[in-house]
């Protein structure tokens, strides 16, 4: 039982280290994604969503958001 808990703890620690690394890369690339959004993106990619299509959706959403902000000003 303790072995299973240790394994689970190691997996959680490894997952956190991986997400921390991905977050650092995201900051370097100036993506503007927060940890929660980035985690969602990673889960989508792990589920088989095409990363390029996902990036395209994010870019379109950013354009729309900027357009809405300009129109509200």
């Amino acid at each position: 039982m303790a072995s299973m808990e240790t394994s689970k703890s190691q997996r959680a620690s490894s997952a956190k280290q991986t997400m921390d690394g991905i977050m650092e890369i995201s900051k370097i690339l100036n993506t503007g994604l927060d940890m929660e959004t980035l985690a969602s993106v990673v889960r989508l990619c792990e589920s088989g969503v095409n990363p390029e299509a996902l990036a395209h959706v994010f870019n379109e959403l950013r354009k729309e958001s900027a357009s809405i902000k300009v129109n509200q000003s």
Side-chain angles (χ1 to χ4, degrees):
M1 186 72 150
S3 176
M4 289 178 71
E5 288 179 20
T6 301
S7 178
K8 198 180 247 187
S9 175
Q10 287 173 340
R11 284 195 307 266
S13 177
S14 178
K16 177 162 178 19
Q17 287 177 343
T18 299
M19 280 307 301
D20 287 345
I22 292 171
M23 188 69 197
E24 284 300 312
I25 292 168
S26 176
K27 286 178 184 178
I28 290 168
L29 295 174
N30 197 28
T31 65
L33 300 177
D34 61 21
M35 183 62 92
E36 183 179 351
T37 304
L38 194 57
S40 295
V41 168
V42 169
R43 280 192 299 274
L44 286 167
C45 290
E46 288 174 340
S47 297
V49 173
N50 181 321
E52 289 180 29
L54 192 54
H56 180 72
V57 169
F58 266 87
N59 287 332
E60 290 300 313
L61 289 172
R62 283 193 176 132
K63 287 179 190 175
E64 284 295 318
S65 177
S67 175
I68 290 169
K69 287 178 184 176
V70 167
N71 290 334
Q72 288 178 348
S73 298

